[in-house]
Amino acid sequence: MTGFGSGTYSDGKLSVCVEIKSVNQRFLELNVRMPHAYMVLEDKLRQAVKKVIHRGKVDIYVTAAEQGLQPQSFCIDYEALEACKTALDTAKARFFGEKEATLSEIMTLTTDWFTQEPPLIDEEECWPVFEKSVTMALDAVTIMRDREGETIHTDLFKRADTMEEHIECIASRKERILAAYEERLRRRVIKLLEPMKLQIDEARILQEVAVFADKSDFTEEVVRFRSHVLQLKKLLNGNGDIGRSLDFLVQEMNRETNTIGSKTQDLEVTETVLLIKNELEKIREQIQNIE
């Protein structure tokens, strides 16, 4: 689900701000941007987020500021600096007749001989500040995601009720479909036998109707679909991570609907099957937002 939250905390020595933005995605993807000096804490930060967010594309932005001067570490590779100066001096004397290269000229050419290292980080001392900041941000994200979840919950329940009505409409068509088939069959047979003044074989008619009834019987699919709807509502009223369970359940409901549609050519059943598939597609889109 979508959400945004930020948290800032300071212990007097270190101030940390964490911003978290989440958008809908089927699986969990964490993208962390934080100062290089504190990369040692990235894994702990990821684990803290994973305990709360289990699905979605999550961007985490971290800024940190030390309160007070922190010692910096500088390292100069004198051999590399000497090699750079010698090469530049030689080029200037040979081609331009100029004097020795200055430090600014060498730095314009390259700074590979110079490195500036961030101060060493005390992981145990810094992590509590990061932890409190990320907890504050996650709390804000959770509030926003909960609000969206309530809206989705209401919508999915309405769609489940609608599908229940549709499947009962299909179930009620079973006897009518058989009666309509028998009537059509009798009319065709009468039309064929009438010129020859032959009588209808009732046993054969009933046999054909029985064969048709067996091939077009969707009772099992209707029973399973009813069970799936009940399971859908049970999951929606439950706790914990239900996103993947809902995803699987919708696949099964879609399979039962396709089977019902393939077993009969009844126009009303076909139209109702399309209505159910439309609801399932909307549910499938919504459950991508659910953990």
Side-chain angles (χ1 to χ4, degrees):
M1 286 179 278
T2 56
F4 175 82
S6 65
T8 302
Y9 182 77
S10 172
D11 65 351
K13 299 179 181 178
L14 175 66
S15 178
V16 175
C17 177
V18 177
E19 293 182 341
I20 299 177
K21 180 181 71 175
S22 69
V23 294
N24 304 326
Q25 184 166 281
R26 186 175 182 182
F27 302 103
L28 179 63
E29 177 187 345
L30 295 182
N31 300 309
V32 180
R33 294 184 181 180
M34 61 190 305
H36 179 74
Y38 297 93
M39 292 296 288
V40 66
L41 300 174
E42 180 178 351
D43 185 62
K44 286 186 176 181
L45 190 69
R46 286 177 174 273
Q47 295 305 317
V49 174
K50 286 181 179 180
K51 289 180 180 179
V52 178
I53 302 176
H54 307 102
R55 206 176 193 187
K57 183 177 183 294
V58 183
D59 293 317
I60 306 166
Y61 303 93
V62 181
T63 56
E66 297 87 357
Q67 296 174 325
L69 296 177
Q70 299 293 324
Q72 301 289 316
S73 176
F74 300 91
C75 181
I76 296 177
D77 186 337
Y78 290 101
E79 292 184 359
L81 175 59
E82 184 179 4
C84 291
K85 183 177 184 305
T86 299
L88 190 56
D89 284 345
T90 301
K92 292 182 69 174
R94 181 174 178 179
F95 296 104
F96 307 104
E98 296 181 1
K99 57 184 180 180
E100 293 184 355
T102 64
L103 179 61
S104 61
E105 290 176 328
I106 296 174
M107 293 185 69
T108 301
L109 180 66
T110 178
T111 57
D112 289 345
W113 48 270
F114 172 84
T115 58
Q116 179 180 353
E117 298 179 357
L120 295 177
I121 300 301
D122 187 331
E123 184 175 346
E124 293 185 0
E125 182 178 351
C126 293
W127 172 243
V129 182
F130 276 80
E131 185 177 28
K132 290 181 179 179
S133 299
V134 73
T135 298
M136 293 168 65
L138 287 171
D139 288 344
V141 171
T142 299
I143 291 173
M144 186 176 293
R145 285 158 65 94
D146 285 346
R147 290 172 183 165
E148 183 183 2
E150 292 174 1
T151 303
I152 294 175
H153 181 275
T154 301
D155 179 71
L156 292 182
F157 246 92
K158 288 182 179 179
R159 298 192 185 282
D161 289 338
T162 300
M163 289 191 299
E164 276 187 324
E165 295 174 2
H166 289 331
I167 202 66
E168 294 309 319
C169 178
I170 290 175
S172 69
R173 291 291 300 170
K174 180 181 176 182
E175 297 302 325
R176 298 179 190 178
I177 291 171
L178 289 179
Y181 175 78
E182 182 176 354
E183 183 180 349
R184 291 196 305 272
L185 180 61
R186 284 182 180 278
R187 286 201 302 264
R188 288 198 301 267
V189 172
I190 290 173
K191 186 177 181 179
L192 290 172
L193 297 181
E194 191 173 21
M196 296 177 285
K197 299 186 180 196
L198 298 175
Q199 297 295 319
I200 295 177
D201 186 344
E202 290 293 336
R204 186 58 187 270
I205 291 290
L206 294 177
Q207 183 180 8
E208 289 297 325
V209 172
V211 171
F212 174 80
D214 183 61
K215 289 182 178 179
S216 62
D217 185 20
F218 44 70
T219 302
E220 291 185 10
E221 288 76 18
V222 168
V223 170
R224 283 197 292 268
F225 194 93
R226 288 170 177 158
S227 175
H228 292 333
V229 173
L230 292 176
Q231 183 65 18
L232 172 63
K233 291 184 174 181
K234 182 178 179 181
L235 285 172
L236 290 174
N237 283 331
N239 298 317
D241 298 344
I242 62 173
R244 284 175 172 70
S245 297
L246 289 175
D247 198 18
F248 173 77
L249 190 59
V250 168
Q251 291 181 31
E252 293 302 307
M253 296 172 78
N254 193 61
R255 184 176 294 110
E256 302 298 346
T257 306
N258 287 334
T259 304
I260 292 173
S262 67
K263 282 190 172 184
T264 178
Q265 301 302 316
D266 181 70
L267 180 59
E268 187 170 334
V269 170
T270 301
E271 291 176 348
T272 308
V273 162
L274 292 177
L275 291 175
I276 292 177
K277 290 177 69 67
N278 183 54
E279 294 297 326
L280 287 173
E281 184 58 33
K282 291 177 180 177
I283 291 174
R284 188 195 303 277
E285 293 174 0
Q286 287 282 41
I287 62 178
Q288 302 307 314
N289 307 334
I290 299 176
E291 294 187 356

